[in-house]
Amino acid sequence: MAMAFKMATMGMAVMEECKSSFMEMKTRRIHRYIVFKIDEGSRAVTVDKLGGPGEGYEDLAASLPADDCRYAVFDFDFVTVDNCQKSKIFFIAWSPSASRIRSKMLYATSKQGLRMVLDGVHYEVQATDPTEMGFDLILDRAK
Amino acid sequence: MYGGDEVSAIVIDLGSHTCKAGYAGEDAPKAVFPSVVGSIDQVGAVEDIKPERDSESMSDSKNGIRSLDSEKTKTKRKLYVGSQALGYRRDHMEVISPIRDGIVVDWDIVDNIWDHAFRERLLIDPKEHPMLLAEPSSNIPQQRERAAELMFENYKVPALFLAKNAVLTSFASGRATSLVVDSGGGSTTVAAVHDGFVLQKAVSASPIGGEFLSECMMRSLESKGIVLKPRYSFKRKEIRPGEFLSIDLDFPNTTESYRLYCQKLIASDIKECVCRAPDTAYDDSGYANIPMTPYELPDGQTIEIGADRFKVPDILFNPSLVQTIPGMESFVDIAAGRGLPQMVIESINKCDVDIRRELFSSILLAGGTASMQQLKERLEKDLMEEAPQAARVKVLASGNATERRFSVWIGGSILASLGSFQQMWFSKAEYEEHGVSYIQRKCP
């Protein structure tokens, strides 16, 4: 088994709230975004913050710390060129350069456990600074 | 499963130029010393000469490796490991490397290097600490088994893990997917990592590393009549207060390899002090009139370095420049090789179309040579010009020189200290139960 996969699935627990919040976001659409964090002591991925349906991408970007890692999912609504209302869910691995290497390592090796629980993510983005998760980039990917 | 959280693990990154060793969880390696060793053949000596060691107990555990090595008869030799032992000139001492083209060719030397790290530098008993070894991205199964066997049989380590250089660098920068450009002392390796896995088909290596650039610098200076005099080859005498005279000393029994080793140390320092990657491809006419930078050699003589400041680093981007350096004309193969941007693009193009976009925007620069000034900016610029239009090129490198230089070791250090990693160790019990080939399953 691949190293990171085994570490993420057997060395790290994903709290039930992560899955239930994601399901609420996907089916009932009551969250615009979810921010997840790792509690290293208890070795678990937990929900850090839920974004209300009225919030936007800027609110998510503002919720991510400048000096620590997080995972996030964002429900992106947009209208296609042929006037079709669409929704895509993005997964963002947030690893800002200013965060500690320990945090980067922890989040990078634990990602797959959470990703397996989040069934229904359309795109995945790795970001080390705000420009890498810019709105234009998301828009570009969703098209 | 090995419960390794109580004692700290030891992390070793044995590169082709430098060995980095230290405690897991720390942010820099405690011991950094050359991967080359001094060797004196003991011709005519009948006594069983063992490599120089402080500890008596070591000679017992040595017997294990002797039987492993019994297939090839070796001439008796005395090995000198570490910067200090190498810093002292000895008659007939050759400088030899255990690694050739990224592969260990002499395990006896590796054994001596590990031993030096454990007993003389870290002052630990290897029986008590799990070991994490960083390995080249395309290490072959036989080499991995040999390393595991040595660790378990000779050092009786309680647990072991082998992690790939590129994976460690990638994780240490928070990415499970990236393209790692590792420019070290002995070579430059480009490897694609996807979800924590090295994509073997997309690994490429070039022999142009720091060592090679140092040699180019040295030859170029020689062609201008500047000879780098190693510290051992002269004596400085104070003729008047504050005024020194250097007197050449003659040691006819100094080996050529030792002289070269010492000269390259000087050349390497010159390179680190004055070199920077040029913003655009180097050409003689454009750099003919640039201001000279002074550098003081160990013998007190001050030299002026001009165009070489830019020309030498540019060899990474344009290997054919090697042919224009007097004394380096024989490196025809290297001169015909690809430059760094081409290596990156070729590597990415060997990967699945779906991940190329992500790789272009996650190019990680690591290794000692990557700390060269302006290297990141130049690589990014060249790639932007040559990459497909839709790609968003992004070259990332730690702003901290120590982190850049030791990214592999630091990655291993943090990895081995994570709670979620402790289940990953290949334990002594598993080794005894399943045999050495089990390492391939435990550390894929």
Side-chain angles (χ1 to χ4, degrees), chain B residues 16-80:
Chain B
S16 51
H17 179 262
T18 318
C19 177
K20 284 76 75 179
Y23 307 98
E26 296 192 350
D27 49 17
K30 269 257 151 35
V32 179
F33 57 93
S35 302
V36 292
V37 301
S39 166
I40 300 180
D41 282 343
Q42 307 289 316
V43 271
V46 267
E47 274 79 28
D48 188 4
I49 290 151
K50 295 213 166 65
E52 198 170 68
R53 288 229 163 84
D54 294 337
S55 73
E56 260 315 298
S57 66
M58 208 33 224
S59 40
D60 294 338
S61 60
K62 278 310 286 179
N63 295 336
I65 188 67
R66 282 292 166 265
S67 59
L68 288 171
D69 268 324
S70 60
E71 66 267 21
K72 47 179 175 184
T73 43
K74 242 182 235 132
T75 44
K76 294 252 185 308
R77 60 184 182 184
K78 192 173 169 114
L79 297 180
Y80 297 87

Side-chain angles (χ1 to χ4, degrees), chain B residues 342-409:
Chain B
Q342 287 72 36
M343 284 174 71
V344 168
I345 291 175
E346 276 183 41
S347 242
I348 294 179
N349 285 340
K350 282 182 187 149
C351 298
D352 204 87
V353 189
D354 300 342
I355 65 163
R356 286 184 201 164
R357 172 208 287 265
E358 190 159 21
L359 292 176
F360 268 118
S361 57
S362 312
I363 298 165
L364 306 179
L365 204 48
T369 304
S371 308
M372 178 98 62
Q373 282 185 60
Q374 294 300 114
L375 188 73
K376 169 182 175 264
E377 291 75 9
R378 170 69 185 282
L379 180 63
E380 192 163 61
K381 180 185 155 291
D382 279 15
L383 283 171
M384 277 175 182
E385 284 165 11
E386 293 174 45
Q389 290 242 301
R392 286 171 192 253
V393 174
K394 181 142 186 158
V395 179
L396 301 138
S398 170
N400 177 326
T402 312
E403 281 179 18
R404 225 188 263 199
R405 178 159 179 225
F406 298 127
S407 71
V408 169
W409 188 90

Side-chain angles (χ1 to χ4, degrees), chain A residues 11 102 105 126 128-129 132, chain B residues 175 177 358 394 411 417 423:
Chain A
R102 189 176 185 86
M105 176 67 74
Q126 303 187 88
T128 51
D129 66 50
E132 276 183 278
Chain B
R175 288 168 188 257
T177 297
E358 190 159 21
K394 181 142 186 158
S417 69
Q423 45 158 345

Side-chain angles (χ1 to χ4, degrees), chain B residues 239-260:
Chain B
I239 41 171
R240 265 184 296 275
E243 201 174 321
F244 292 88
L245 185 73
S246 110
I247 302 157
D248 287 349
L249 302 170
D250 189 27
F251 295 109
N253 292 329
T254 309
T255 63
E256 182 62 17
S257 66
Y258 186 73
R259 195 174 60 92
L260 200 61

Side-chain angles (χ1 to χ4, degrees), chain A residues 11-13 15 37-46 100 102 106-107 110, chain B residues 5 417-420:
Chain A
M12 188 63 66
M15 291 291 114
K37 70 183 277 187
I38 293 178
D39 180 46
E40 200 189 337
S42 62
R43 272 199 250 146
V45 184
T46 60
R100 293 170 60 219
R102 189 176 185 86
L106 186 66
Y107 277 77
S110 308
Chain B
D5 342 38
S417 69
L418 290 183
S420 54

